[in-house]
């Protein structure tokens, strides 16, 4: 049973963080919106828009797909997008 030093753990953690921060964001195709973008266009809260989009997706009215985008301090991460008005 080997012992890993605190220094090795810290170095590994920093390597993981560096790799995550250096990931490249995807180009989101035209017609795909985040909840925040759709909410802004409709002048409603993100929480309410999330419910509308969830229900429309369940009903098969819109498509949902995650794209890896730059998201502020979180860096590049998958964010759900919705294709509204066409498939």
């Amino acid at each position: 049973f080997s012992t890993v030093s605190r220094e090795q753990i810290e170095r590994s953690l920093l390597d993981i963080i560096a790799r995550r921060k250096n990931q490249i964001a995807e180009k989101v195709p035209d017609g795909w919106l985040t909840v925040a973008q759709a909410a802004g266009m409709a002048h409603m809260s993100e929480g309410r828009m999330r419910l509308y989009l969830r229900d429309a997706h369940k009903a098969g009215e819109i498509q949902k797909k995650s794209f890896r985008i730059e998201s502020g301090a979180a860096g590049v991460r998958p964010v759900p997008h919705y294709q509204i008005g066409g498939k």
Side-chain angles (χ1 to χ4, degrees):
F1 189 55
S2 66
T3 305
V4 179
S5 72
R6 180 178 174 86
E7 192 174 280
Q8 289 171 314
I9 293 170
E10 287 175 358
R11 191 174 25 235
S12 293
L13 182 59
L14 291 174
D15 287 344
I16 290 168
I17 292 168
R19 279 195 307 275
R20 286 283 176 214
K21 285 192 171 195
N22 289 327
Q23 289 181 343
I24 297 173
E26 294 179 67
K27 168 125 176 59
V28 177
D30 290 339
W32 290 86
L33 302 173
T34 64
V35 170
Q37 291 168 328
M41 292 172 79
H43 306 288
M44 66 173 52
S45 73
E46 289 181 29
R48 177 60 62 190
M49 180 56 72
R50 188 173 287 107
L51 294 174
Y52 283 126
L53 294 175
R54 182 197 64 198
D55 292 346
H57 178 253
K58 284 182 180 179
E61 297 171 353
I62 61 174
Q63 291 184 334
K64 177 181 175 182
K65 182 177 179 181
S66 287
F67 294 96
R68 296 188 67 79
I69 64 169
E70 181 69 36
S71 184
V76 176
R77 67 180 186 89
V79 174
H81 285 69
Y82 298 86
Q83 188 180 39
I84 300 168
K87 291 185 180 182

Coordinates of all heavy atoms in Angstrom, one line a residue:
F1 N 0.9 -1.2 0.0 CA 0.0 0.0 0.0 C 0.9 1.2 0.0 O 1.6 1.5 0.9 CB -0.9 -0.1 1.2 CG -2.0 1.0 1.3 CD1 -2.9 1.1 0.2 CD2 -2.1 1.8 2.3 CE1 -3.9 2.1 0.2 CE2 -3.1 2.8 2.4 CZ -4.0 2.9 1.3
S2 N 0.8 2.0 -1.1 CA 1.7 3.2 -1.2 C 1.1 4.4 -0.6 O -0.1 4.6 -0.6 CB 2.1 3.4 -2.6 OG 1.0 3.8 -3.4
T3 N 1.9 5.3 -0.2 CA 1.5 6.6 0.4 C 1.8 7.7 -0.6 O 2.9 7.8 -1.1 CB 2.2 6.9 1.7 OG1 2.0 5.8 2.6 CG2 1.7 8.1 2.4
V4 N 0.8 8.5 -0.9 CA 0.9 9.6 -1.8 C 1.1 10.9 -0.9 O 0.3 11.1 0.0 CB -0.3 9.8 -2.7 CG1 -0.1 11.0 -3.6 CG2 -0.5 8.5 -3.5
S5 N 2.1 11.7 -1.2 CA 2.3 12.8 -0.4 C 1.3 13.9 -0.7 O 0.7 14.0 -1.8 CB 3.7 13.4 -0.6 OG 3.9 14.0 -1.9
R6 N 1.2 14.8 0.2 CA 0.3 16.0 0.0 C 0.8 16.8 -1.2 O 0.0 17.3 -2.0 CB 0.2 16.8 1.3 CG -0.6 18.1 1.1 CD -0.7 18.9 2.4 NE -1.4 20.1 2.3 CZ -2.7 20.2 2.4 NH1 -3.5 19.2 2.7 NH2 -3.3 21.4 2.3
E7 N 2.1 16.9 -1.4 CA 2.7 17.7 -2.5 C 2.3 17.0 -3.8 O 2.0 17.7 -4.8 CB 4.2 17.7 -2.3 CG 4.9 18.6 -3.2 CD 6.4 18.7 -2.8 OE1 6.7 19.4 -1.9 OE2 7.1 18.0 -3.5
Q8 N 2.3 15.7 -3.9 CA 1.9 15.0 -5.1 C 0.5 15.2 -5.4 O 0.1 15.4 -6.6 CB 2.2 13.5 -5.0 CG 3.7 13.2 -5.0 CD 3.9 11.7 -4.7 OE1 3.4 11.2 -3.7 NE2 4.8 11.1 -5.4
I9 N -0.4 15.2 -4.4 CA -1.8 15.4 -4.6 C -2.0 16.8 -5.1 O -2.8 17.0 -6.1 CB -2.6 15.1 -3.3 CG1 -2.5 13.6 -3.0 CG2 -4.0 15.6 -3.5 CD1 -3.1 13.3 -1.6
E10 N -1.4 17.8 -4.5 CA -1.6 19.2 -4.9 C -1.1 19.4 -6.4 O -1.8 20.1 -7.1 CB -0.8 20.1 -4.0 CG -1.4 20.3 -2.6 CD -0.6 21.1 -1.7 OE1 0.5 21.6 -2.0 OE2 -1.1 21.3 -0.5
R11 N 0.0 18.8 -6.7 CA 0.6 18.9 -8.1 C -0.4 18.3 -9.1 O -0.7 18.9 -10.1 CB 1.9 18.3 -8.2 CG 2.7 18.6 -9.4 CD 4.1 18.0 -9.5 NE 4.3 16.9 -8.6 CZ 5.2 16.8 -7.6 NH1 6.0 17.8 -7.4 NH2 5.3 15.8 -6.8
S12 N -1.0 17.1 -8.7 CA -1.9 16.5 -9.6 C -3.2 17.3 -9.8 O -3.7 17.4 -10.9 CB -2.3 15.1 -9.1 OG -1.2 14.2 -9.1
L13 N -3.7 17.9 -8.7 CA -4.9 18.7 -8.7 C -4.6 19.9 -9.6 O -5.5 20.3 -10.4 CB -5.3 19.1 -7.3 CG -6.5 20.0 -7.2 CD1 -7.7 19.2 -7.7 CD2 -6.8 20.3 -5.7
L14 N -3.5 20.6 -9.5 CA -3.2 21.7 -10.3 C -3.1 21.4 -11.8 O -3.5 22.1 -12.6 CB -1.9 22.4 -9.8 CG -2.0 23.1 -8.4 CD1 -0.6 23.6 -8.0 CD2 -3.0 24.2 -8.4
D15 N -2.5 20.2 -12.1 CA -2.5 19.7 -13.5 C -3.9 19.5 -14.0 O -4.1 19.9 -15.2 CB -1.7 18.4 -13.6 CG -0.2 18.6 -13.4 OD1 0.3 19.7 -13.4 OD2 0.5 17.5 -13.1
I16 N -4.8 18.9 -13.2 CA -6.1 18.7 -13.7 C -6.8 20.1 -14.0 O -7.5 20.2 -15.0 CB -6.9 17.9 -12.6 CG1 -6.4 16.5 -12.6 CG2 -8.4 18.0 -12.9 CD1 -7.0 15.7 -11.4
I17 N -6.6 21.0 -13.1 CA -7.2 22.3 -13.2 C -6.7 23.0 -14.5 O -7.4 23.6 -15.3 CB -7.0 23.2 -12.0 CG1 -7.8 22.6 -10.8 CG2 -7.4 24.7 -12.2 CD1 -7.5 23.2 -9.5
A18 N -5.4 23.0 -14.7 CA -4.8 23.6 -15.9 C -5.3 23.0 -17.2 O -5.6 23.7 -18.1 CB -3.2 23.4 -15.8
R19 N -5.4 21.7 -17.2 CA -6.0 21.0 -18.4 C -7.4 21.4 -18.7 O -7.8 21.7 -19.8 CB -5.9 19.5 -18.3 CG -4.5 18.9 -18.6 CD -4.6 17.4 -18.8 NE -5.2 16.6 -17.7 CZ -4.6 16.2 -16.6 NH1 -3.4 16.5 -16.4 NH2 -5.3 15.5 -15.7
R20 N -8.2 21.5 -17.6 CA -9.6 21.9 -17.8 C -9.7 23.3 -18.3 O -10.5 23.7 -19.1 CB -10.3 21.8 -16.4 CG -10.6 20.4 -16.1 CD -11.8 20.0 -16.9 NE -12.1 18.6 -16.7 CZ -12.6 17.8 -17.6 NH1 -12.8 18.3 -18.8 NH2 -12.9 16.6 -17.4
K21 N -8.9 24.2 -17.7 CA -8.9 25.6 -18.1 C -8.5 25.9 -19.5 O -8.8 26.8 -20.2 CB -8.1 26.5 -17.1 CG -8.8 26.7 -15.8 CD -8.2 27.7 -15.0 CE -9.0 28.1 -13.8 NZ -8.6 29.3 -13.1
N22 N -7.6 25.0 -20.0 CA -7.1 25.1 -21.4 C -7.9 24.4 -22.5 O -7.5 24.4 -23.6 CB -5.6 24.6 -21.4 CG -4.7 25.5 -20.7 OD1 -4.9 26.7 -20.6 ND2 -3.7 24.9 -20.0
Q23 N -9.0 23.9 -22.1 CA -9.9 23.2 -23.1 C -10.4 24.3 -24.0 O -10.6 25.5 -23.7 CB -11.1 22.5 -22.4 CG -10.6 21.3 -21.7 CD -11.8 20.6 -21.1 OE1 -12.9 21.1 -20.9 NE2 -11.6 19.3 -20.7
I24 N -10.7 23.9 -25.2 CA -11.2 24.8 -26.3 C -12.7 24.7 -26.3 O -13.3 23.7 -26.3 CB -10.6 24.4 -27.6 CG1 -9.0 24.6 -27.6 CG2 -11.1 25.3 -28.7 CD1 -8.3 24.1 -28.8
A25 N -13.3 25.9 -26.3 CA -14.7 26.0 -26.4 C -15.2 25.7 -27.9 O -14.5 25.9 -28.8 CB -15.2 27.4 -26.1
E26 N -16.4 25.1 -27.9 CA -17.0 24.7 -29.2 C -17.6 25.9 -29.9 O -18.1 26.8 -29.2 CB -18.0 23.6 -29.1 CG -17.5 22.3 -28.6 CD -18.7 21.3 -28.5 OE1 -19.3 21.0 -29.5 OE2 -19.0 21.0 -27.3
K27 N -17.7 25.9 -31.2 CA -18.5 26.9 -31.9 C -20.0 26.5 -31.9 O -20.3 25.4 -32.3 CB -18.0 27.1 -33.3 CG -19.0 27.9 -34.2 CD -18.3 29.1 -34.8 CE -19.2 29.8 -35.8 NZ -20.4 30.4 -35.2
V28 N -20.8 27.3 -31.3 CA -22.3 26.9 -31.2 C -22.9 27.3 -32.6 O -22.8 28.5 -33.0 CB -23.0 27.6 -30.1 CG1 -24.4 27.3 -30.0 CG2 -22.3 27.2 -28.8
P29 N -23.6 26.4 -33.3 CA -24.2 26.7 -34.5 C -25.3 27.8 -34.3 O -25.9 27.8 -33.3 CB -24.8 25.4 -35.0 CG -24.1 24.3 -34.2 CD -23.7 25.0 -32.9
D30 N -25.6 28.5 -35.4 CA -26.7 29.5 -35.4 C -28.0 28.7 -35.0 O -28.2 27.6 -35.4 CB -26.9 30.2 -36.7 CG -25.7 31.1 -37.0 OD1 -25.0 31.5 -36.1 OD2 -25.5 31.4 -38.2
G31 N -28.9 29.4 -34.3 CA -30.2 28.9 -34.0 C -30.2 28.1 -32.7 O -31.3 27.7 -32.2
W32 N -29.1 27.9 -32.0 CA -29.0 27.3 -30.7 C -28.9 28.3 -29.6 O -28.0 29.2 -29.7 CB -27.9 26.3 -30.6 CG -28.1 25.1 -31.5 CD1 -27.8 24.9 -32.8 CD2 -28.7 23.8 -31.1 NE1 -28.2 23.7 -33.3 CE2 -28.8 23.0 -32.2 CE3 -29.2 23.3 -29.9 CZ2 -29.3 21.7 -32.2 CZ3 -29.7 22.1 -29.9 CH2 -29.8 21.3 -31.0
L33 N -29.7 28.3 -28.6 CA -29.7 29.3 -27.5 C -29.6 28.6 -26.2 O -30.1 27.6 -25.9 CB -31.0 30.1 -27.5 CG -31.4 30.8 -28.8 CD1 -32.8 31.4 -28.6 CD2 -30.4 31.9 -29.1
T34 N -28.9 29.3 -25.2 CA -28.9 28.9 -23.8 C -30.2 29.4 -23.2 O -30.9 30.2 -23.7 CB -27.7 29.5 -23.1 OG1 -27.9 31.0 -23.0 CG2 -26.4 29.2 -23.7
V35 N -30.5 28.9 -22.0 CA -31.6 29.3 -21.2 C -31.5 30.9 -21.0 O -32.5 31.6 -21.2 CB -31.7 28.6 -19.9 CG1 -32.8 29.2 -19.0 CG2 -32.0 27.1 -20.1
A36 N -30.3 31.3 -20.7 CA -30.2 32.8 -20.4 C -30.5 33.6 -21.7 O -31.1 34.7 -21.6 CB -28.8 33.1 -19.9
Q37 N -30.0 33.2 -22.8 CA -30.3 33.9 -24.1 C -31.8 33.9 -24.4 O -32.3 35.0 -24.7 CB -29.5 33.3 -25.2 CG -28.0 33.5 -25.1 CD -27.2 32.6 -26.0 OE1 -27.6 31.5 -26.4 NE2 -26.1 33.1 -26.5
A38 N -32.4 32.8 -24.3 CA -33.8 32.7 -24.6 C -34.6 33.5 -23.6 O -35.6 34.2 -24.0 CB -34.3 31.2 -24.5
A39 N -34.3 33.5 -22.3 CA -35.0 34.3 -21.3 C -34.8 35.8 -21.6 O -35.8 36.5 -21.5 CB -34.4 34.0 -19.9
G40 N -33.7 36.2 -22.0 CA -33.4 37.6 -22.3 C -34.3 38.1 -23.5 O -34.9 39.1 -23.5
M41 N -34.4 37.2 -24.5 CA -35.2 37.5 -25.7 C -36.7 37.6 -25.4 O -37.4 38.4 -26.0 CB -35.0 36.5 -26.8 CG -33.5 36.5 -27.4 SD -33.2 35.1 -28.5 CE -34.1 35.7 -29.9
A42 N -37.1 36.8 -24.4 CA -38.6 36.8 -24.1 C -38.9 37.7 -22.9 O -40.0 37.7 -22.5 CB -39.0 35.3 -23.8
H43 N -37.9 38.3 -22.3 CA -38.1 39.2 -21.2 C -38.7 38.5 -20.0 O -39.7 39.0 -19.5 CB -38.9 40.5 -21.6 CG -38.3 41.2 -22.7 ND1 -37.2 41.9 -22.6 CD2 -38.7 41.3 -24.0 CE1 -36.9 42.5 -23.8 NE2 -37.8 42.1 -24.7
M44 N -38.2 37.3 -19.7 CA -38.7 36.6 -18.5 C -37.5 36.0 -17.7 O -36.4 36.0 -18.2 CB -39.7 35.5 -18.9 CG -39.1 34.4 -19.7 SD -40.2 33.0 -20.0 CE -41.7 33.8 -20.7
S45 N -37.8 35.5 -16.6 CA -36.7 34.9 -15.7 C -36.1 33.6 -16.3 O -36.8 32.9 -17.1 CB -37.2 34.6 -14.3 OG -38.1 33.5 -14.3
E46 N -34.9 33.3 -16.0 CA -34.3 32.1 -16.5 C -35.0 30.9 -15.9 O -35.1 29.9 -16.6 CB -32.8 32.1 -16.1 CG -32.0 33.1 -16.9 CD -30.5 33.0 -16.6 OE1 -30.0 31.9 -16.2 OE2 -29.8 34.1 -16.7
G47 N -35.4 31.0 -14.7 CA -36.1 29.8 -14.1 C -37.4 29.5 -14.8 O -37.7 28.3 -15.1
R48 N -38.2 30.5 -15.1 CA -39.5 30.3 -15.9 C -39.2 29.8 -17.3 O -39.8 28.9 -17.8 CB -40.3 31.6 -15.9 CG -41.5 31.5 -16.7 CD -42.5 30.5 -16.2 NE -43.0 30.9 -14.9 CZ -43.7 30.0 -14.1 NH1 -44.1 28.9 -14.6 NH2 -44.0 30.4 -12.9
M49 N -38.1 30.4 -17.9 CA -37.8 29.9 -19.3 C -37.3 28.5 -19.3 O -37.6 27.7 -20.2 CB -36.7 30.8 -19.9 CG -36.3 30.4 -21.3 SD -37.6 30.3 -22.5 CE -38.0 32.1 -22.8
R50 N -36.5 28.1 -18.3 CA -36.1 26.7 -18.1 C -37.2 25.8 -18.1 O -37.2 24.7 -18.7 CB -35.2 26.6 -16.9 CG -34.5 25.3 -16.8 CD -33.5 25.2 -15.6 NE -32.3 26.0 -15.9 CZ -32.1 27.2 -15.4 NH1 -32.9 27.8 -14.5 NH2 -31.0 27.9 -15.7
L51 N -38.3 26.1 -17.4 CA -39.5 25.2 -17.3 C -40.2 25.1 -18.7 O -40.5 24.0 -19.1 CB -40.5 25.8 -16.3 CG -40.0 25.8 -14.9 CD1 -41.1 26.5 -14.0 CD2 -39.8 24.4 -14.4
Y52 N -40.3 26.3 -19.4 CA -40.9 26.2 -20.7 C -40.1 25.4 -21.7 O -40.6 24.6 -22.5 CB -41.1 27.6 -21.3 CG -42.2 28.5 -20.7 CD1 -42.0 29.7 -20.2 CD2 -43.5 28.0 -20.8 CE1 -43.0 30.5 -19.7 CE2 -44.6 28.7 -20.3 CZ -44.3 30.0 -19.7 OH -45.3 30.7 -19.2
L53 N -38.8 25.6 -21.7 CA -37.9 24.8 -22.6 C -37.9 23.3 -22.2 O -37.9 22.5 -23.1 CB -36.5 25.4 -22.6 CG -36.3 26.8 -23.1 CD1 -34.9 27.3 -22.9 CD2 -36.7 26.9 -24.6
R54 N -37.9 23.0 -21.0 CA -37.9 21.6 -20.5 C -39.2 20.9 -21.1 O -39.1 19.8 -21.6 CB -37.9 21.5 -19.0 CG -37.8 20.1 -18.5 CD -38.2 19.9 -17.1 NE -39.6 20.4 -16.9 CZ -40.1 20.8 -15.7 NH1 -39.4 20.7 -14.6 NH2 -41.3 21.2 -15.6
D55 N -40.3 21.6 -20.9 CA -41.6 21.0 -21.3 C -41.7 20.9 -22.8 O -42.2 19.9 -23.4 CB -42.8 21.8 -20.8 CG -42.9 21.8 -19.3 OD1 -42.3 20.8 -18.7 OD2 -43.7 22.6 -18.7
A56 N -41.2 21.9 -23.5 CA -41.2 21.9 -25.0 C -40.3 20.8 -25.5 O -40.6 20.1 -26.5 CB -40.8 23.2 -25.6
H57 N -39.2 20.5 -24.8 CA -38.2 19.5 -25.2 C -38.9 18.1 -25.0 O -38.8 17.2 -25.9 CB -36.9 19.6 -24.5 CG -35.9 18.5 -24.8 ND1 -35.7 17.5 -23.9 CD2 -35.2 18.3 -25.9 CE1 -34.8 16.7 -24.5 NE2 -34.5 17.1 -25.7
K58 N -39.5 17.9 -23.9 CA -40.2 16.7 -23.6 C -41.3 16.4 -24.6 O -41.5 15.2 -24.9 CB -40.8 16.7 -22.1 CG -39.8 16.5 -21.1 CD -40.4 16.5 -19.7 CE -39.4 16.3 -18.6 NZ -40.0 16.3 -17.3
A59 N -42.0 17.4 -25.1 CA -43.0 17.3 -26.0 C -42.5 17.1 -27.5 O -43.3 16.9 -28.4 CB -44.0 18.5 -26.0
G60 N -41.2 17.2 -27.6 CA -40.6 17.0 -29.0 C -40.7 18.2 -29.8 O -40.5 18.1 -31.1
E61 N -41.0 19.3 -29.3 CA -41.2 20.6 -30.0 C -39.8 21.2 -30.4 O -39.7 22.0 -31.3 CB -42.1 21.5 -29.3 CG -43.5 21.0 -29.1 CD -44.3 21.8 -28.2 OE1 -43.8 22.8 -27.6 OE2 -45.5 21.5 -28.1
I62 N -38.8 21.0 -29.5 CA -37.5 21.6 -29.7 C -36.4 20.6 -29.4 O -36.7 19.6 -28.7 CB -37.3 22.9 -28.8 CG1 -37.4 22.5 -27.4 CG2 -38.3 24.0 -29.2 CD1 -37.1 23.7 -26.4
Q63 N -35.2 20.8 -29.9 CA -34.1 20.0 -29.6 C -33.2 20.5 -28.5 O -33.2 21.8 -28.4 CB -33.3 19.8 -30.9 CG -33.9 19.0 -32.0 CD -33.0 18.7 -33.1 OE1 -32.1 19.4 -33.4 NE2 -33.3 17.6 -33.9
K64 N -32.5 19.7 -27.8 CA -31.6 20.1 -26.8 C -30.3 19.4 -27.0 O -30.2 18.2 -27.3 CB -32.2 19.7 -25.4 CG -31.3 20.0 -24.2 CD -32.0 19.5 -22.9 CE -31.0 19.7 -21.7 NZ -31.7 19.2 -20.5
K65 N -29.2 20.2 -26.8 CA -27.9 19.6 -27.0 C -26.9 20.4 -26.2 O -27.1 21.7 -26.0 CB -27.4 19.7 -28.5 CG -26.1 19.1 -28.7 CD -25.8 19.1 -30.2 CE -24.4 18.5 -30.4 NZ -24.0 18.6 -31.9
S66 N -25.9 19.8 -25.5 CA -24.9 20.5 -24.8 C -23.7 20.8 -25.6 O -23.2 20.0 -26.4 CB -24.5 19.7 -23.6 OG -25.5 19.7 -22.6
F67 N -23.2 22.1 -25.5 CA -22.0 22.5 -26.2 C -21.0 23.0 -25.1 O -21.5 23.6 -24.1 CB -22.3 23.7 -27.2 CG -23.2 23.3 -28.3 CD1 -24.5 23.5 -28.3 CD2 -22.6 22.7 -29.5 CE1 -25.3 23.2 -29.4 CE2 -23.4 22.4 -30.6 CZ -24.8 22.6 -30.5
R68 N -19.8 22.7 -25.3 CA -18.7 23.2 -24.4 C -18.4 24.6 -24.7 O -17.9 24.9 -25.8 CB -17.5 22.3 -24.5 CG -17.8 20.9 -24.1 CD -16.6 20.0 -24.0 NE -15.7 20.5 -22.9 CZ -15.9 20.2 -21.6 NH1 -16.9 19.4 -21.2 NH2 -15.1 20.6 -20.7
I69 N -18.8 25.5 -23.8 CA -18.6 27.0 -24.0 C -17.9 27.6 -22.8 O -17.9 27.0 -21.7 CB -19.9 27.7 -24.3 CG1 -20.8 27.7 -23.1 CG2 -20.6 27.2 -25.5 CD1 -22.0 28.6 -23.2
E70 N -17.3 28.7 -23.1 CA -16.6 29.5 -22.0 C -17.7 30.0 -21.1 O -18.7 30.6 -21.5 CB -15.9 30.7 -22.6 CG -15.1 31.5 -21.6 CD -14.0 30.8 -20.9 OE1 -13.3 30.0 -21.6 OE2 -13.7 31.1 -19.7
S71 N -17.6 29.8 -19.8 CA -18.6 30.1 -18.9 C -18.0 30.9 -17.7 O -18.0 30.3 -16.5 CB -19.4 28.9 -18.4 OG -20.4 29.2 -17.6
G72 N -17.5 32.1 -17.9 CA -17.0 32.9 -16.8 C -15.9 32.2 -16.0 O -15.0 31.6 -16.6
A73 N -15.9 32.3 -14.7 CA -14.9 31.8 -13.9 C -14.8 30.2 -13.9 O -13.8 29.6 -13.6 CB -15.1 32.2 -12.4
A74 N -15.9 29.6 -14.3 CA -15.9 28.1 -14.4 C -15.1 27.6 -15.6 O -14.9 26.4 -15.7 CB -17.4 27.6 -14.6
G75 N -14.7 28.5 -16.5 CA -13.9 28.1 -17.7 C -14.8 27.4 -18.7 O -16.0 27.7 -18.8
V76 N -14.3 26.5 -19.5 CA -15.0 25.8 -20.5 C -15.8 24.7 -19.9 O -15.2 23.8 -19.2 CB -14.1 25.3 -21.6 CG1 -14.9 24.6 -22.7 CG2 -13.4 26.5 -22.3
R77 N -17.1 24.7 -20.1 CA -17.9 23.6 -19.5 C -19.1 23.3 -20.4 O -19.5 24.2 -21.2 CB -18.4 23.9 -18.1 CG -19.3 25.1 -18.0 CD -19.7 25.3 -16.5 NE -20.7 26.3 -16.4 CZ -22.0 26.1 -16.5 NH1 -22.5 24.9 -16.6 NH2 -22.9 27.1 -16.4
P78 N -19.7 22.1 -20.3 CA -20.9 21.9 -21.1 C -22.1 22.6 -20.6 O -22.4 22.7 -19.4 CB -21.1 20.4 -21.0 CG -20.3 19.9 -19.8 CD -19.3 21.0 -19.5
V79 N -22.8 23.3 -21.6 CA -23.9 24.1 -21.2 C -25.1 23.7 -22.2 O -24.9 23.7 -23.4 CB -23.7 25.6 -21.4 CG1 -24.9 26.4 -21.2 CG2 -22.6 26.0 -20.4
P80 N -26.2 23.3 -21.6 CA -27.4 22.9 -22.5 C -27.8 24.1 -23.4 O -27.9 25.2 -23.0 CB -28.5 22.6 -21.6 CG -27.8 22.4 -20.2 CD -26.6 23.2 -20.2
H81 N -28.1 23.8 -24.7 CA -28.6 24.7 -25.6 C -29.8 24.2 -26.2 O -30.0 22.9 -26.3 CB -27.6 25.0 -26.8 CG -26.4 25.9 -26.3 ND1 -25.4 25.4 -25.5 CD2 -26.1 27.1 -26.7 CE1 -24.5 26.4 -25.3 NE2 -24.9 27.4 -26.1
Y82 N -30.7 25.0 -26.7 CA -32.0 24.6 -27.3 C -32.1 25.2 -28.7 O -31.8 26.3 -28.9 CB -33.1 25.1 -26.4 CG -33.1 24.5 -25.0 CD1 -32.3 25.1 -24.0 CD2 -33.7 23.3 -24.8 CE1 -32.3 24.5 -22.8 CE2 -33.7 22.7 -23.5 CZ -32.9 23.3 -22.5 OH -32.9 22.8 -21.3
Q83 N -32.5 24.3 -29.6 CA -32.7 24.8 -31.0 C -34.2 25.1 -31.1 O -35.1 24.3 -31.0 CB -32.3 23.7 -32.0 CG -32.4 24.3 -33.4 CD -32.0 23.2 -34.4 OE1 -32.4 22.1 -34.3 NE2 -31.3 23.6 -35.5
I84 N -34.5 26.4 -31.3 CA -35.8 26.9 -31.3 C -36.2 27.4 -32.7 O -35.4 28.1 -33.3 CB -36.0 28.0 -30.3 CG1 -35.6 27.5 -28.9 CG2 -37.4 28.7 -30.3 CD1 -35.5 28.6 -27.8
G85 N -37.3 26.9 -33.2 CA -37.8 27.4 -34.5 C -37.2 26.7 -35.7 O -37.0 27.2 -36.7
G86 N -36.9 25.4 -35.5 CA -36.4 24.6 -36.6 C -35.5 23.5 -36.1 O -35.0 23.5 -35.1
K87 N -35.5 22.4 -37.0 CA -34.7 21.2 -36.6 C -33.8 20.9 -37.7 O -33.9 21.2 -38.8 CB -35.7 20.0 -36.3 CG -36.5 20.3 -35.1 CD -37.3 19.0 -34.8 CE -38.1 19.3 -33.5 NZ -38.9 18.2 -33.2

